[in-house]
Amino acid sequence: AILLSFHGNDKFISYDCPEVSNLFQIIESHVFGGSQVEFVANTANLFVASYARWLSANQNRIPIIFGNVVKSIESSVIQTSACRCLNRMADEIPELMDLKSIVQAYHTVELDPKNAVFLVECMAKLISVHKDANLINETLKYLLTENTGVFAIYCEKLTALVRYLPPNITVDVVKHSWGALASAAKRDTSRDTALAEKVCRFYKHSVRATKSLFEPFLNELMNLFVILFNEKFKSPFLYGASILVSEFSNAPQLSQMILALSSTFFAKLSTLEQYTQAPDVVEEFFYLMGRVVQYSSKVAFKSNEQFELTLNASRIGLKLLHRDAYKAVLVFIESLLASELASNGSLNNILPSYIKGIVELLISNLANGTTMNLDGGSGSVCGVLLKFNNLNPTETSSQLNACGAFVISDSLLRADRRDVCNAIRRFINESRGGGRR
């Protein structure tokens, strides 16, 4: 109970306080050095994980602690806490841990798949600081060719590697696994997005870990996302594309990828009923387009038709009234109004009609009691109205008044965000009560 209490309050207890040191001594002599029941050893692993930093200042205690935690992997009852503990120790004292012992345990012990992922993550952290090139090469060779069992777990192991390995080794992991991941994503016939999410998560971490080293794979990955989205129509591939937009905003082929993804979206979704059937796709599409106008506005829209279709899609999206999709549409609108397209006058011709349509939809939703995303950072009703007002106060005020939202229109004159948000809430309350708006 004492160990569990310290574990649960580790954010408030310093690792170098005397009580922590005393508990480590008790663990060595009475838990690891005795024959305690497994639930006590399990709690001891949790404690060691929480206060692993203590070991950096008490390195003479590492052999006993580390050895017993590794040994406890053999027990299916406490295997999870042991693997989590080693992973946490790898964050604090990676250069003081024995990679070979963990590799051996990984080879010989029957691991729960999730625990195997924890150990792979731990090994990746140790590889980053260890100098034994032969052991590192052998370990990576085994991990990269261990493509048996559930592919989703193998994908999680690959992701653990690319998150923590040095960039130059991460590139080798990407090269080795490219074909297997692409083939698995293309073969996936499931209706859910589980595997697609894991594949895109791997590429997200690969891109962010390697930066410019990923450029040789960039065009191929853009093409892959286009093909997979067209064939599978799953939202993770839009999310994956949005990562490429934010990380490689000046890539020459970016506009072609955006156009191809947009074309697929517009071809398959054009009515509110269709949007209702795929709210996750709607959500990720508008997050993607929000990043496009934020990071790559110069290549955002290669044709007026694409631009007009996107604006029209945002109007349909505000009718969907799905919380996550609704926020994504608002994020896109805010990003558009804050982009270079707005500041350089490119939106001037379409802005009045766009303000009219969006304001009418927002006020209609508010009058009907919709309280989603009123405020709270990017992607809010308050933020959109303020940005409209900054760009074209006359048109914004006119449309709000035309909709009977006088209290909101008046608040925009003061341009205080909190005041505007309070006015929106008053409008909702008055609409419900039938009072003057």
Side-chain angles (χ1 to χ4, degrees):
I2 294 173
L3 292 174
L4 190 61
S5 177
F6 269 74
H7 162 67
N9 292 280
D10 61 333
K11 293 181 179 179
F12 311 103
I13 301 174
S14 174
Y15 73 92
D16 58 358
C17 76
E19 289 79 7
V20 170
S21 182
N22 292 336
L23 287 173
F24 265 105
Q25 293 181 30
I26 293 172
I27 288 172
E28 286 184 41
S29 59
H30 290 80
V31 181
F32 293 154
S35 55
Q36 289 289 342
V37 292
E38 287 178 319
F39 79 85
V40 178
N42 187 67
T43 310
N45 285 339
L46 297 176
F47 174 86
V48 173
S50 295
Y51 297 96
R53 187 175 299 182
W54 180 87
L55 293 168
S56 64
N58 299 270
Q59 297 183 18
N60 60 313
R61 316 291 271 280
I62 292 177
I64 295 176
I65 299 291
F66 175 76
N68 278 279
V69 175
V70 172
K71 184 173 177 57
S72 65
I73 294 175
E74 298 173 5
S75 168
S76 60
V77 177
I78 58 178
Q79 186 181 97
T80 298
S81 69
C83 292
R84 287 178 179 269
C85 180
L86 290 170
N87 203 4
R88 186 72 184 91
M89 291 172 69
D91 289 327
E92 300 293 345
I93 53 168
E95 68 282 352
L96 302 175
M97 295 171 68
D98 181 18
L99 173 61
K100 191 171 184 178
S101 297
I102 298 176
V103 172
Q104 185 175 1
Y106 185 86
H107 278 293
T108 58
V109 177
E110 184 177 347
L111 294 165
D112 175 87
K114 292 293 185 181
N115 293 337
V117 174
F118 283 130
L119 274 195
V120 170
E121 189 171 307
C122 174
M123 287 187 281
K125 294 172 183 177
L126 300 189
I127 287 172
S128 297
V129 299
H130 276 252
K131 307 300 182 184
D132 188 338
N134 290 331
L135 177 60
I136 290 173
N137 290 334
E138 289 176 10
T139 302
L140 287 173
K141 183 178 179 180
Y142 175 77
L143 292 174
L144 291 174
T145 55
E146 189 201 18
N147 185 7
T148 58
V150 180
F151 187 85
I153 296 297
Y154 175 65
C155 191
E156 287 188 34
K157 293 177 182 179
L158 292 175
T159 302
L161 288 175
V162 299
R163 287 184 67 189
Y164 297 102
L165 288 174
N168 60 312
I169 301 180
T170 297
V171 170
D172 292 334
V173 175
V174 172
K175 288 179 182 177
H176 179 90
S177 57
W178 188 278
L181 287 170
S183 297
K186 290 177 180 178
R187 291 195 309 268
D188 181 22
T189 57
S190 63
R191 300 188 66 178
D192 62 44
T193 61
L195 182 60
E197 287 173 3
K198 293 185 187 301
V199 169
C200 290
R201 185 168 178 265
F202 167 82
Y203 285 123
K204 175 187 75 173
H205 287 294
S206 298
V207 166
R208 289 180 172 170
T210 56
K211 302 295 183 182
S212 61
L213 294 176
F214 193 88
E215 288 181 1
F217 309 99
L218 184 57
N219 287 346
E220 191 172 354
L221 184 56
M222 286 193 285
N223 291 333
L224 180 63
F225 284 149
V226 167
I227 292 170
L228 290 173
F229 183 61
N230 184 56
E231 292 179 355
K232 311 296 182 182
F233 203 62
K234 292 184 176 182
S235 58
F237 302 121
L238 293 175
Y239 173 72
S242 74
I243 298 299
L244 300 185
V245 170
S246 59
E247 297 294 333
F248 300 99
S249 58
N250 296 315
Q253 303 300 316
L254 202 61
S255 59
Q256 286 90 325
M257 178 187 74
I258 299 304
L259 179 60
L261 294 171
S262 299
S263 298
T264 298
F265 179 88
F266 298 138
K268 297 190 177 185
L269 300 182
S270 60
T271 66
L272 179 57
E273 182 180 0
Q274 291 170 335
Y275 276 43
T276 305
Q277 299 301 314
D280 60 320
V281 176
V282 175
E283 176 189 355
E284 291 301 341
F285 175 75
F286 281 105
Y287 276 128
L288 166 64
M289 299 312 295
R291 288 191 174 186
V292 168
V293 296
Q294 179 182 358
Y295 293 102
S296 303
S297 58
K298 292 181 180 178
V299 298
F301 302 102
K302 286 298 184 182
S303 69
N304 290 333
E305 181 185 11
Q306 183 193 10
F307 187 40
E308 290 170 3
L309 285 171
T310 305
L311 295 183
N312 185 58
S314 69
R315 297 185 186 98
I316 300 174
L318 290 180
K319 298 176 184 177
L320 181 56
L321 300 184
H322 177 282
R323 181 172 296 276
D324 296 331
Y326 198 73
K327 180 175 178 61
V329 175
L330 293 172
V331 166
F332 162 72
I333 297 173
E334 281 203 60
S335 299
L336 176 65
L337 300 178
S339 71
E340 188 178 344
L341 293 172
S343 61
N344 66 15
S346 298
L347 301 181
N348 288 351
N349 291 335
I350 60 96
L351 195 58
S353 62
Y354 192 57
I355 289 177
K356 181 178 185 298
I358 297 299
V359 167
E360 286 178 350
L361 285 168
L362 291 178
I363 298 305
S364 174
N365 290 340
L366 294 174
N368 290 323
T370 300
T371 59
M372 295 185 298
N373 307 110
L374 298 183
D375 201 10
S378 177
S380 68
V381 175
C382 183
V384 167
L385 292 178
L386 281 166
K387 285 185 170 60
F388 273 147
N389 192 61
N390 288 339
L391 289 173
N392 194 327
T394 302
E395 186 65 33
T396 303
S397 176
S398 173
Q399 290 306 319
L400 286 169
N401 291 333
C403 294
F406 303 108
V407 64
I408 301 176
S409 179
D410 291 343
S411 71
L412 286 173
L413 296 174
R414 297 180 288 278
D416 179 83
R417 191 179 187 102
R418 181 178 296 181
D419 192 21
V420 173
C421 188
N422 288 336
I424 291 171
R425 294 186 182 280
R426 287 199 302 274
F427 175 80
I428 294 173
N429 291 333
E430 291 170 1
S431 297
R432 287 172 175 169
R436 182 180 181 276
R437 296 186 299 203

